[in-house]
Each structure stands twice: as C-alpha cells, then as structure tokens.
Amino acid sequence: MPVLTSREDEKLSVPEFYAGKSIFVTGGTGFLGKVFIEKLLYCCPDIDKIYMLIREKKNLSIDERMSKFLDDPLFSRLKEERPGDLEKIVLIPGDITAPNLGLSAENERILLEKVSVIINSAATVKFNEPLPIAWKINVEGTRMLLALSRRMKRIEVFIHISTAYSNASSDRIVVDEILYPAPADMDQVYQLVKDGVTEEETERLLNGLPNTYTFTKALTEHLVAEHQTYVPTIIIRPSVVASIKDEPIRGWLCNWFGATGISVFTAKGLNRVLLGKASNIVDVIPVDYVANLVIVAGAKSGGQKSDELKIYNCCSSDCNPVTLKKIIKEFTEDTIKNKSHIMPLPGWFVFTKYKWLLTLLTIIFQMLPMYLADVYRVLTGKIPRYMKLHHLVIQTRLGIDFFTSHSWVMKTDRVRELFGSLSLAEKHMFPCDPSSIDWTDYLQSYCYGVRRFLEKKK
C-alpha cells in the first residue's frame, strides 16, 4: 500500500504540513524573522525544531542576544500559554557572510540531517550600502545557503524573502509576479566587486534601480530561480513592511524602517516637504500578513515537483491601495491628538515633484527654524538638539525620495488565489490577502504601535 506524501495528501492543513518538521531560518532576529518564528511556534504546535542562524553582535554573546530576543513582548502569548515551545528554537552560531555560513561541522551535520524547510530572510536592509557589502550579504550569503540546501536529506521547500522593489524601476509602473530579466550580468558584477568597484561604476550598474539594496536583491532572485531545478523554491516579495495588523499584538513593531520614520518625522513637524505627489501609492503591507504568506506558501508548495518557480508579491497596491496623503494624515492626527509634536504647526507640509524646490523649501521651512531653535536652546543654557534631528530627517528622506516620487502597482493575483484555496480555519489563522484591510483602523493601530513600542510611551 503506497504511503501518502505531503503533496499526495491534499487535505493536509498548514499546521499539519509543518508537524514533525524542522525549519532553518536566516535573518530570524530581524523584524520579519521574529514574527514568522513566533507564528510558526504558536500556530503549528507540532513543529519539531526551528534552527536559527545567529552571530555575536555589538559585544553581545549569542546567548545574550537570544535572551534579548525572547524578552520582546511579541512572545508574550507563547510564554503565557506554551512556554515550553520556545525551547524548540535551536541556535546555530554562524554568519551569512562567512565561508560555509560559519557553521561548525557538527551543526552542519544536524542541518543536513534534520531540516525540511528553509526560510531565507537574511539581508542588509541599508539602501545605499557599498556594493561589495550588499553583494557579500545579499548575493553570496544566499548562494552559500542554496548550496547547503542541495545537500539536505529532507529538504522539501526553499523560501526566499526578496522585495517588491527589486523590479520597480522608474520606467516600470506595474510589477507582475514573474521573474524579470536581471539588471546586470552576474559574472560581470562579481568581477567588478572582486576588482574593487567604484561609485561611478556602481551607478552605471544599477540600470534604473534606485540603490544597491534593490539591485542585489534583483540579482539574487536569479540565483534562487536556478535552484528550482533541485528543490521546490518560492520567492516572496514584500513591499513596505509595517506593524502587525492582527496578532499576536496589534500595532507591534521594532524598528523605524520603511514608512515609519518619515511618517513620524513629518507628523511631528520635523519634516515639511516630500518629493512626490499626495496621490502616490505607498504599498504598505502588515508584517503579520508577510509572515502568514511565507508559512502558507511553504506548506502548499513543499515537496511539490514542478518546473514552475512560484513568485508571490506580498503587496496591497493592486487590490487595496493607500496613498501617501492618507498615511501622513493619520500620523499627523495621532500626533495632534496625543500632543506629541516637536515643532510648531504639526502637519504643515507640502509635496513637490521638483528637487530644486524640495531643497529650497527644506532650507526655509525646516533647516532655518531648527537652527534658530538650537540658538535659543544655547542661549538658555540647554544642549542643542534640533540640527542633529534635522540631519537624521534629511538622511531618512534621501533614502526614500525615489519611492515617494514614484507610484507602482504590484500585482497579487497569485497571493489572492492561494489565500482563496485555504479552508475557513486557515484563512482565520493565516490572513494574507490585504483586500479587506480598513486603512484608517490599521493606521491608527500603527501609530499606537510607534508610541508604545518605539517611543516607549503609554
């Protein structure tokens, strides 16, 4: 009598697919990584182990980093309801940039013997990282992980976290769930990086992409695509990842990246001008929706023999768009309501499509008032602070000017089809279709999350 595999038994639920399996996660200590680790443990209670690649950082040992990791309120419900499940997290000392990921022989053997699913979330998220550094982390790190996965005895699926903006150039306003041509020749880029690439050469290589982050992520998609020949492979492309919408904690977030920093700066009166139009779409997606899609896509594709590389755009712009004006409005109203602005007249700002006007307005309405405010502080015996804040605002804005000044539609047909195939119980447990998000309600919880988890206010 034949034994049913996970693919032959189409009735397996998402939790049943992960039952008894072990997962290897890179980037697990990051914003998204934390969320899908918590979700896997909580919603797939029969999972065997989650092996997490981790390195020493900022004078913290691996054990100290793990202790800090689990201290996050994100893990509160697991600690209260099933604290023993946190012991399923097994630390694997290593480094995505080190040869063979910095794995010891014993840990490599464990991974080769035990792992069924890989979730590759490790990446540098600095937009303008020097190309050699972005290449080493985003491209070479993934290359080593792919090589390791091909030797794993139980591997069923490799899930790679890319970005929706890896293919969003100034001349492509619609991004489909397909593999686009590489922005440059992989071997040529490798040789330039090896020989010492200059800033001018880097600028030419970008080929319409805004920074080294999106450029190297686009190249990495092609490495991952080649892997489909060996192991069922999935690419997930999140857009602007923001706070948790539903669970385990509404509004939770742990960094200022994405839309958070510039929205808060603008709402508090520190930023008065944005490059772009009020009607431009900001493709925001809740972090729990990304984590849910990762988990569901892995379960529904794991072990499936197919020549098709599955790519999912985890985005909101094509089915439920939200504008730049709407986001700034909600953040500003929250700031006024909670009296948390820093400069007078919170919410007074303008949009412009001209860079020269952006510079002029910045000098008149941002830099000059902050300079005068610092002069006043010095005269009254206080430490100046506003020009330092202004520098941070400008650095943040420079990093996102390309994104606020353009508007894209990221197609999500495949995501919505996948979600539609789930049972009612799975849809409730793993929501990942943004079609029904109420943006006013969500953005209000997002603002609350900023106050509670980033500003540490009640």
Side-chain angles (χ1 to χ4, degrees):
M1 183 176 180
V3 178
L4 291 177
T5 67
S6 61
R7 285 296 89 203
E8 290 167 336
D9 184 1
E10 295 295 340
K11 295 181 180 180
L12 277 182
S13 68
V14 172
E16 286 171 339
F17 169 81
Y18 288 100
K21 291 185 173 68
S22 291
I23 321 297
F24 182 38
V25 174
T26 68
T29 58
F31 178 37
L32 175 57
K34 284 183 179 180
V35 178
F36 59 61
I37 286 174
E38 195 278 343
K39 188 78 174 189
L40 275 168
L41 288 173
Y42 189 82
C43 292
C44 304
D46 294 322
I47 201 169
D48 185 18
K49 296 284 190 298
I50 295 180
Y51 296 102
M52 188 169 78
L53 189 72
I54 190 169
R55 63 184 175 90
E56 292 185 1
K57 185 178 181 182
K58 295 180 180 178
N59 299 319
L60 292 175
S61 68
I62 288 172
D63 288 339
E64 288 170 333
R65 286 195 70 193
M66 190 58 186
S67 177
K68 186 177 180 181
F69 177 82
L70 294 177
D71 279 344
D72 197 296
L74 181 73
F75 295 98
S76 296
R77 66 176 178 178
L78 272 168
K79 289 179 179 178
E80 293 170 3
E81 299 176 33
R82 303 199 311 267
D85 283 9
L86 291 170
E87 296 177 7
K88 294 181 180 181
I89 302 175
V90 179
L91 303 183
I92 301 291
D95 188 333
I96 197 72
T97 65
N100 197 37
L101 305 176
L103 299 174
S104 69
E106 176 59 20
N107 282 333
E108 181 183 70
R109 184 192 65 78
I110 291 172
L111 296 176
L112 294 179
E113 293 283 344
K114 301 291 186 181
V115 170
S116 298
V117 179
I118 291 179
I119 302 175
N120 179 32
S121 182
T124 175
V125 294
K126 293 182 180 178
F127 283 170
N128 290 306
E129 194 85 81
L131 182 57
I133 297 176
W135 173 273
K136 189 174 185 179
I137 298 172
N138 295 345
V139 181
E140 292 301 329
T142 301
R143 192 195 303 273
M144 287 186 287
L145 187 61
L146 290 167
L148 179 70
S149 72
R150 291 172 192 170
R151 297 161 52 209
M152 290 178 172
K153 297 179 180 180
R154 300 188 180 188
I155 191 70
E156 291 190 38
V157 62
F158 185 104
I159 307 168
H160 174 72
I161 313 299
S162 185
T163 170
Y165 296 98
S166 60
N167 300 284
S169 59
S170 56
D171 58 355
R172 180 185 291 130
I173 61 173
V174 176
V175 179
D176 287 300
E177 293 168 298
I178 62 173
L179 185 69
Y180 286 92
D185 180 79
M186 187 82 73
D187 293 334
Q188 180 191 7
V189 179
Y190 171 76
Q191 194 61 46
L192 284 170
V193 169
K194 183 180 178 183
D195 294 341
V197 64
T198 65
E199 288 187 14
E200 292 75 16
E201 288 171 328
T202 297
E203 190 65 32
R204 287 196 298 271
L205 281 171
L206 294 183
N207 194 25
L209 291 174
N211 50 51
T212 57
Y213 169 69
T214 55
F215 176 72
T216 52
K217 294 294 275 186
L219 290 175
T220 304
E221 286 193 357
H222 285 264
L223 273 184
V224 174
E226 295 170 2
H227 187 64
Q228 174 66 24
T229 305
Y230 307 93
V231 175
T233 303
I234 299 168
I235 294 176
I236 307 288
R237 293 179 182 151
S239 50
V240 183
V241 184
S243 66
I244 286 178
K245 178 183 178 294
D246 294 316
E247 60 175 36
I249 305 175
R250 275 175 59 87
W252 178 90
L253 73 169
C254 64
N255 64 45
W256 291 92
F257 299 156
T260 307
I262 198 64
S263 299
V264 172
F265 286 149
T266 303
K268 290 181 181 293
L270 294 168
N271 181 64
R272 299 294 191 183
V273 56
L274 284 170
L275 190 64
K277 296 187 295 184
S279 59
N280 281 356
I281 297 171
V282 183
D283 200 311
V284 173
I285 193 75
V287 64
D288 49 328
Y289 275 45
V290 186
N292 291 338
L293 177 61
V294 168
I295 295 168
V296 168
K300 299 304 179 181
S301 297
Q304 182 178 5
K305 293 181 179 180
S306 171
D307 293 331
E308 180 188 19
L309 172 71
K310 292 187 177 178
I311 298 176
Y312 297 94
N313 288 342
C314 191
C315 309
S316 60
S317 54
D318 78 321
C319 61
N320 190 9
V322 61
T323 64
L324 193 55
K325 180 180 179 180
K326 172 67 173 176
I327 292 175
I328 297 300
K329 174 180 177 290
E330 293 298 334
F331 270 84
T332 300
E333 289 181 355
D334 183 82
T335 297
I336 294 171
K337 178 182 177 181
N338 290 280
K339 299 178 180 180
S340 59
H341 58 278
I342 295 175
M343 297 296 286
L345 302 175
W348 188 92
F349 70 99
V350 295
F351 295 97
T352 180
K353 61 180 181 179
Y354 302 107
K355 289 189 176 182
W356 68 266
L357 188 55
L358 176 79
T359 301
L360 179 62
L361 294 175
T362 298
I363 292 171
I364 296 172
F365 296 114
Q366 269 179 234
M367 190 169 73
L368 185 58
M370 290 191 198
Y371 174 76
L372 293 175
D374 268 348
V375 170
Y376 177 78
R377 287 181 68 87
V378 171
L379 292 176
T380 55
K382 298 177 182 178
I383 298 173
R385 61 175 295 213
Y386 293 104
M387 288 305 292
K388 185 176 181 181
L389 280 172
H390 180 257
H391 176 73
L392 181 59
V393 170
I394 294 302
Q395 292 302 114
T396 301
R397 201 176 68 190
L398 282 172
I400 65 167
D401 275 350
F402 179 84
F403 303 100
T404 59
S405 60
H406 292 81
S407 193
W408 296 274
V409 173
M410 313 289 188
K411 304 297 288 184
T412 58
D413 296 340
R414 180 170 274 161
V415 172
R416 285 179 283 143
E417 181 183 355
L418 175 65
F419 183 72
S421 72
L422 301 179
S423 68
L424 287 176
E426 289 172 320
K427 286 179 179 178
H428 178 75
M429 189 179 297
F430 301 103
C432 53
D433 179 358
S435 300
S436 61
I437 292 177
D438 179 331
W439 287 115
T440 299
D441 179 68
Y442 173 72
L443 290 169
Q444 288 173 356
S445 74
Y446 188 178
C447 293
Y448 165 76
V450 170
R451 291 198 311 276
R452 178 181 172 187
F453 299 106
L454 299 183
E455 297 180 335
K456 307 298 182 183
K457 298 176 182 178
K458 293 184 179 179

